[in-house]
Amino acid sequence: MKKIVGVFLFVLMGTILFAKEVLYVGTNAEFAPFEYMENGEIVGFDIELINKVGEKIGKEIKIKNIAFDGLLPALQTDKIDLIIAGMTVTKEREQFVDFSNDYFIANQVIIVPENESSITDVDSLKGKKVGVVLGYTGDLMVSKVEGVDKVQYNSAPASIMALAGGKIDAMILDSAPAQSYIAKNKGLKIVELDSEVEKYAIAVGKDKKELVEQINKALEEIKTEGIYDELIIKYFK
Ligand code: GLN
């Protein structure tokens, strides 16, 4: 018995001594190829990237899947330490959180049925039923155009389904996920926009300057070591 207790204590101490500090990372796994579900697991470009960052800074990464509009509140209330979710750096968000250096450049595009020809730019969305995802930058962009019948969805896949089912005329989404979703949904096409460039970055709580520096250093190394390019090829080529 004593022996068993001894072994148990030994293992326990080892676990405590060598356990890596955990970083809880919030994402919303409805944004392929950045984060999505595959065989019950959260996978994607962002997930691999943040795990590499974790390796570099010697911390264990634990992913939490949260609704996109719940991510910032979760970070502000310390339920998570970081957000990686294809999240665009915006002035509004910067009031509440800090961002790492950016790791991806994107822009907004319109997705329409293949036979749609009257929608060519943001202004031509007037009078149309346009799907957006709640709280996304695309949601904000459409809100600035008067006369658009905006329909908010909780996720990109939900909006894509509505579009494919003819419930809406068009939808707005970030460029890379738009490519990924139309590849899996026949009969849809992309209308490119000369919309503003958006920069994706990792969000960190306001009081965590040191963590932001560590993340930036890790991102830098991941780029110079070619790991970043490997991930780009894996998920986007
Ligand atoms: N880039 C967009 C935003 O930040 C969408 C992000 C996402 O859905 N994961 O609002």
Side-chain angles (χ1 to χ4, degrees):
M1 188 62 194
K2 257 189 193 159
K3 224 182 192 173
I4 294 173
V5 174
V7 168
F8 175 75
L9 282 178
F10 184 76
V11 171
L12 186 72
M13 271 173 59
T15 316
I16 292 169
L17 280 176
F18 296 108
K20 278 196 208 162
E21 206 186 309
V22 174
L23 279 180
Y24 290 95
V25 176
T27 195
N28 174 239
E30 294 178 300
F31 200 63
F34 292 94
E35 41 269 327
Y36 55 102
M37 300 300 297
E38 198 173 74
N39 305 323
E41 259 184 74
I42 305 172
V43 296
F45 179 90
D46 280 352
I47 308 305
E48 287 204 41
L49 184 68
I50 200 66
N51 274 301
K52 292 284 175 205
V53 169
E55 267 171 41
K56 293 267 178 212
I57 63 181
K59 303 220 166 127
E60 189 188 341
I61 298 295
K62 287 202 174 152
I63 305 283
K64 287 190 178 182
N65 196 9
I66 299 172
F68 190 78
D69 62 348
L71 286 169
L72 288 182
L75 185 58
Q76 286 179 277
T77 52
D78 283 329
K79 294 200 174 66
I80 49 176
D81 302 301
L82 306 174
I83 300 170
I84 191 161
M87 185 174 270
T88 305
V89 179
T90 65
K91 291 238 156 53
E92 293 78 12
R93 290 174 181 157
E94 274 178 329
Q95 292 174 7
F96 308 108
V97 296
D98 284 339
F99 282 100
S100 69
N101 292 337
D102 53 273
Y103 66 87
F104 198 85
I105 304 288
N107 69 319
Q108 299 295 313
V109 298
I110 306 177
I111 310 176
V112 291
E114 230 158 29
N115 57 4
E116 166 61 64
S117 57
S118 66
I119 297 175
T120 51
D121 56 12
V122 177
D123 280 334
S124 58
L125 293 174
K126 283 182 185 158
K128 306 275 185 196
K129 260 192 163 170
V130 182
V132 297
V133 191
L134 187 69
Y136 278 25
T137 38
D139 184 357
L140 298 176
M141 190 179 113
V142 170
S143 307
K144 289 180 195 148
V145 189
E146 250 177 70
V148 175
D149 184 2
K150 189 176 90 170
V151 188
Q152 284 177 320
Y153 292 91
N154 282 325
S155 70
S159 183
I160 287 275
M161 265 175 60
L163 182 63
K167 293 199 175 69
I168 50 176
D169 303 311
M171 69 173 277
I172 301 278
L173 193 63
D174 296 42
S175 39
Q179 295 288 357
S180 165
Y181 286 115
I182 70 154
K184 290 187 206 94
N185 291 270
K186 288 219 168 73
L188 300 175
K189 67 175 181 187
I190 287 179
V191 177
E192 297 286 348
L193 300 172
D194 34 345
S195 59
E196 256 172 63
V197 159
E198 297 191 9
K199 293 176 173 172
Y200 294 173
I202 298 164
V204 183
K206 277 265 180 223
D207 48 344
K208 309 263 170 66
K209 298 273 179 275
E210 198 188 324
L211 185 54
V212 177
E213 273 163 33
Q214 287 176 329
I215 292 170
N216 285 341
K217 188 164 168 270
L219 286 175
E220 198 66 47
E221 287 173 17
I222 286 166
K223 282 194 179 161
T224 52
E225 287 165 14
I227 302 169
Y228 181 85
D229 286 343
E230 278 169 27
L231 289 179
I232 291 285
I233 290 166
K234 177 168 175 190
Y235 287 97
F236 298 98
K237 299 279 151 86

